[in-house]
Amino acid sequence: TLVKLQEEQRDYTLVLRTFGTDLEDIANAISDFAIGKHPLFPHFRESKLVIGKDRLYKGRWRKAQDSNIEGSHDSSHIFDLYSSDRKDDDKTRYPIASGDDEVLKIIQQSSVCGIQDDYTHWDKNNNAPWSGKPVWITTTNEQKKKDDIQLNPHHLFFDDNIHNDANDSIVAV
């Protein structure tokens, strides 16, 4: 898919998502692929797919102090992005982005990034889709331009726990 996107000169953002601890390993594999280190694609080169550690995040849910926060998928919870090296029990570090609009802006400002999602939160909420991996979809009017960023998403989400079940899925749209 990445080779085809390059051949067609399509603009895209690749967002790696995992509940596991494998995000850095996946990022390294994508980076190696981007510099021709894949045995089946030794001539492939795409510098924008080299993922720096500064583009790896931890996504964590928190309860909103004000349950009427605008721009949050679930009005009682807010999704925050932290640096990937933040320990979950470290309360001294502030999020890099907080809430749907800020998180979406961070994602769309890069060609590739990775998010380790909040498995503990999802599990504690009985696998409710709203508590899993949020996916941000903009409407046609919003797609034109927002803060000088072109918005034209085409989401491909691969996961082993996506169900067409409003009460049990890993993805929240």
Side-chain angles (χ1 to χ4, degrees):
T1 302
L2 295 172
V3 173
K4 193 70 168 168
L5 289 168
Q6 184 193 48
E7 287 171 358
E8 294 179 3
Q9 299 179 346
R10 301 269 313 256
D11 194 29
Y12 61 89
T13 299
L14 175 63
V15 183
L16 307 171
R17 305 288 292 271
T18 184
F19 274 144
T21 58
D22 53 354
L23 184 59
E24 195 167 337
D25 292 337
I26 296 167
N28 289 337
I30 295 289
S31 294
D32 285 350
F33 172 72
I35 58 173
K37 290 188 176 180
H38 189 288
L40 298 178
F41 301 95
H43 303 292
F44 182 81
R45 300 288 186 281
E46 185 64 84
S47 61
K48 70 181 187 176
L49 287 176
V50 176
I51 309 169
K53 203 158 168 65
D54 63 321
R55 289 290 177 197
L56 299 179
Y57 307 102
K58 283 188 176 183
R60 296 295 180 260
W61 289 99
R62 67 178 166 85
K63 256 204 166 319
Q65 291 179 355
D66 177 2
S67 62
N68 293 321
I69 300 274
E70 205 170 308
S72 178
H73 177 75
D74 174 65
S75 62
S76 65
H77 290 82
I78 297 173
F79 192 79
D80 294 331
L81 283 185
Y82 292 89
S83 168
S84 65
D85 62 354
R86 175 189 181 263
K87 302 289 183 213
D88 281 336
D89 60 354
D90 182 357
K91 305 299 181 203
T92 62
R93 293 176 112 173
Y94 293 98
I96 295 167
S98 183
D100 294 344
D101 291 341
E102 288 184 19
V103 171
L104 183 59
K105 187 173 181 178
I106 291 282
I107 290 171
Q108 291 181 324
Q109 286 177 336
S110 65
S111 55
V112 63
C113 66
I115 300 172
Q116 180 197 34
D117 287 284
D118 195 348
Y119 176 81
T120 302
H121 182 77
W122 182 63
D123 190 48
K124 283 182 181 177
N125 286 281
N126 298 316
N127 309 93
W130 71 264
S131 66
K133 300 176 182 180
V135 176
W136 298 270
I137 298 175
T138 56
T139 63
T140 306
N141 291 340
E142 293 171 321
Q143 288 179 8
K144 294 185 175 128
K145 274 207 176 191
K146 185 174 184 179
D147 296 333
D148 294 327
I149 299 171
Q150 185 67 38
L151 302 176
N152 53 355
H154 182 94
H155 297 278
L156 300 174
F157 209 106
F158 300 96
D159 200 283
D160 63 344
N161 211 345
I162 295 175
H163 307 282
N164 190 16
D165 183 336
N167 298 313
D168 180 16
S169 189
I170 207 164
V171 178
V173 179

